[in-house]
Amino acid sequence: MRRIVVSAWVVTLGTVLLAQGATGTLAGVVTGPTGAPVPDAPVQAKNRQSGAVVRGATASDGRYRLAPMPAGSYDISITMPCCAYEPFARQDVAIAAGQTRQLDVRLAEGASFNTAGDDPGELAAVIRKRQKVPSRPVPRLAGKPDFSGVWLANEDRYPEQPALLPWAAKALQERLGNGLKDAPHTQCLPQGLPTPASIGPFLAKLVQTPSLLVVLFEDAGGFRQIFMDGRAHPEDPDPSWVGHSIGKWDGDTLVVDTIGYNDQSWIGIVPHSEMLHVTERIRRRDFGHLDIRVTFNDPGAFSTPWHQTLNWELAPAEDVVAYVCENNKAQHLVGR
Amino acid sequence: MNVMRMLFAAFALAALMFAAAPGYAHHSFAAEFDADKPIKLVGTVTKVEWTNPHAWIYIDAMDESGKIVNWAWELGSPTSLVRLGWTRNLLKAGTSVTFEGSRARDGTSTANARSVTLNSTGQKLLGASSQGKTQ
């Protein structure tokens, strides 16, 4: 039997026992609701004692293998791109030194209900397949990296959990409990921060000048402006769906600071308050990749800042198109 | 204390379950359709609404009593469908098709389209992605 070993890597070493060789392995196969293998499923194991994280992904036959893992107890999670599969979580999985723990996972059907044309993961795969991204140096503009281009706005493959204050945790439970029927998008409103629609089967187009970065996206609103002309935030900005963004360079990294959000938008499905303050550190790693580290700081909703790591891929064969949400027939939304 | 522990455990589990939060949903098919009500209909296309965020295709199909009923089928966004190779003229009025999906929870003649087959050729236009590729 063909076994493809996907190399796993330790993100945070913490109190890792690698040196002593007290490590084990987690391996298995990930399938969908019908039993078909799920390729490229991101598998994450978090050590319950040290917090160290081991990550890997399934091969084309759905198999994965995480090794070496310091012996201990782990929380395992798999989160596929929105929304074909429900996320998977299994707590307290023991990994013993010198042994391989088998954990096969059957992912349940997700919120997109397998609707034709509504699986961002599938769409991303199709888009990737037709791209020919040349190997070139990162283009520069006025001495700084130029982010201009059409990007496949991937979500965080290994998402962290936000530490929610009680009201926010309750609001989230209600959203999950009613099948997300009140999601802004179901009313043709923007959904997702800091760039709306970056959660779905959407593309984002960046247009950069030395003093302004424009983000065009395919959702209500359609654009963000990131001012790089040295202006400050307004003292009391009117709350809006995308906030007020200013950008400053830190070497070759653009640091974008955004305030002035309303409390109506959802971060994916997570609630927030008007106190939300978002920082994005954007770096063009190479010609074809944009790495974005997002920090959501909201003392009105989170007890500690929440982070996302986004990796956008250049999509030179695509373009954004006008997207007017005109026909969301919400009358069928009756909840669960 | 047990209740508190249970509550905490439930919350911890929920916290893990929404680990996907940033990428959860731009809409809520789960709130709209019922997986326990699968439906498969053979019929004729009467109308195509090629509108964002969801395309709708209407077909006339015969029910058990022999009556012709017009059914509305919801698909993904035209923006996505085009990127997957569809065009707005792919299914014109009069085209014979087979649709499979789940019925709406509200009991109307509405369903989500999991797979669409052209009856003239047997070609599956686009299927349930999590059940393997079609096309």
Side-chain angles (χ1 to χ4, degrees), chain A residues 43-278:
Chain A
V43 184
Q44 177 164 253
K46 185 173 186 181
N47 188 297
R48 291 169 70 91
Q49 286 81 44
S50 69
V53 176
V54 184
R55 293 170 175 168
T58 58
S60 56
D61 60 358
R63 292 184 178 278
Y64 72 94
R65 183 180 170 85
L66 300 187
M69 295 171 69
S73 175
Y74 287 83
D75 292 337
I76 314 298
S77 59
I78 300 173
T79 305
M80 292 296 288
C82 166
C83 315
Y85 305 96
E86 288 288 343
F88 167 84
R90 174 76 55 83
Q91 290 175 293
D92 206 7
V93 174
I95 300 295
Q99 293 184 20
T100 296
R101 171 74 184 260
Q102 191 76 17
L103 179 66
D104 295 339
V105 175
R106 181 170 284 213
L107 297 173
E109 189 166 87
S112 77
F113 248 50
N114 250 338
T115 304
D118 207 61
D119 177 0
E122 181 194 29
L123 183 59
V126 168
I127 287 174
R128 275 185 203 113
K129 214 171 162 183
R130 63 172 165 245
Q131 308 304 313
K132 285 194 180 67
V133 180
S135 182
R136 281 190 209 150
V138 171
R140 299 185 79 84
L141 178 75
K144 293 297 176 188
D146 187 357
F147 300 154
S148 297
V150 177
W151 299 90
L152 183 56
N154 296 313
E155 59 196 329
D156 192 344
R157 260 169 80 76
Y158 299 97
E160 271 179 26
Q161 299 162 43
L164 298 177
L165 296 180
W167 78 264
K170 184 164 174 278
L172 181 70
Q173 289 296 0
E174 284 170 8
R175 292 174 185 184
L176 288 166
N178 68 22
L180 310 173
K181 78 178 176 65
D182 298 320
H185 197 91
T186 62
Q187 309 297 327
C188 281
L189 293 168
Q191 186 162 348
L193 290 178
T195 297
S198 58
I199 57 165
F202 294 93
L203 298 158
K205 184 173 188 170
L206 303 191
V207 183
Q208 185 175 329
T209 78
S211 59
L212 178 70
L213 179 63
V214 178
V215 186
L216 303 171
F217 52 84
E218 293 170 328
D219 196 358
F223 68 91
R224 286 178 70 195
Q225 297 184 87
I226 296 161
F227 300 110
M228 305 191 294
D229 55 4
R231 77 180 69 181
H233 289 305
E235 279 203 9
D236 184 20
D238 279 342
S240 78
W241 289 86
V242 294
H244 184 273
S245 300
I246 51 177
K248 287 186 182 133
W249 291 99
D250 175 9
D252 279 353
T253 299
L254 182 67
V255 183
V256 179
D257 190 281
T258 307
I259 61 167
Y261 289 106
N262 67 27
D263 59 4
Q264 304 301 301
S265 57
W266 293 16
I267 309 172
I269 62 169
V270 173
H272 67 85
S273 78
E274 286 187 3
M275 293 164 82
L276 179 64
H277 176 182
V278 176

Side-chain angles (χ1 to χ4, degrees), chain A residues 32-34 36 77 79 81-87 89 91 109 111-120 122-123 126-127 130 155-156 159-162 164 169 172-173 176 178-181 183 185-186 188 191 199-203 218 267-270 306 308 318-329 331-336, chain B residues 9-36 47 49-56 58 72-86 100-116 125-135:
Chain A
T34 63
S77 59
T79 305
C82 166
C83 315
Y85 305 96
E86 288 288 343
Q91 290 175 293
E109 189 166 87
S112 77
F113 248 50
N114 250 338
T115 304
D118 207 61
D119 177 0
E122 181 194 29
L123 183 59
V126 168
I127 287 174
R130 63 172 165 245
E155 59 196 329
D156 192 344
E160 271 179 26
Q161 299 162 43
L164 298 177
L172 181 70
Q173 289 296 0
L176 288 166
N178 68 22
L180 310 173
K181 78 178 176 65
H185 197 91
T186 62
C188 281
Q191 186 162 348
I199 57 165
F202 294 93
L203 298 158
E218 293 170 328
I267 309 172
I269 62 169
V270 173
W306 179 34
Q308 288 178 4
E318 311 296 325
D319 213 332
V320 293
V321 296
Y323 184 97
V324 176
C325 186
E326 57 188 305
N327 191 25
N328 228 357
K329 299 193 172 181
Q331 69 267 31
H332 299 295
L333 296 168
V334 294
R336 271 191 172 143
Chain B
F11 176 71
L13 183 65
L16 277 168
M17 290 310 288
F18 72 74
Y24 219 101
H26 59 287
H27 55 64
S28 329
F29 281 106
E32 194 173 1
F33 301 104
D34 189 341
D36 295 330
K47 187 170 66 163
E49 286 178 358
W50 201 243
T51 48
N52 283 307
H54 300 286
W56 287 81
Y58 296 81
W73 294 82
E74 185 170 13
L75 290 87
S77 70
T79 311
S80 301
L81 290 166
V82 164
R83 290 183 178 130
L84 290 167
W86 286 53
E100 289 178 67
S102 299
R103 289 194 63 166
R105 291 176 184 274
D106 67 0
T108 57
S109 299
T110 309
N112 80 317
R114 289 168 182 249
S115 83
V116 181
L125 292 178
L126 191 79
S129 54
S130 64
Q131 297 172 14
K133 299 288 171 198
T134 53
Q135 290 271 45

Side-chain angles (χ1 to χ4, degrees), chain A residues 133 136-139 151 283-291:
Chain A
V133 180
R136 281 190 209 150
V138 171
W151 299 90
R283 190 175 73 98
R284 191 163 183 174
R285 188 199 330 153
D286 55 29
F287 189 76
H289 295 89
L290 209 59
D291 296 335

Side-chain angles (χ1 to χ4, degrees), chain B residues 20-73:
Chain B
Y24 219 101
H26 59 287
H27 55 64
S28 329
F29 281 106
E32 194 173 1
F33 301 104
D34 189 341
D36 295 330
K37 290 183 188 162
I39 182 169
K40 178 177 181 176
L41 287 180
V42 179
T44 305
V45 175
T46 60
K47 187 170 66 163
V48 175
E49 286 178 358
W50 201 243
T51 48
N52 283 307
H54 300 286
W56 287 81
I57 296 175
Y58 296 81
I59 71 170
D60 272 347
M62 200 177 288
D63 68 12
E64 300 86 19
S65 65
K67 201 174 84 182
I68 298 287
V69 178
N70 195 246
W71 279 78
W73 294 82

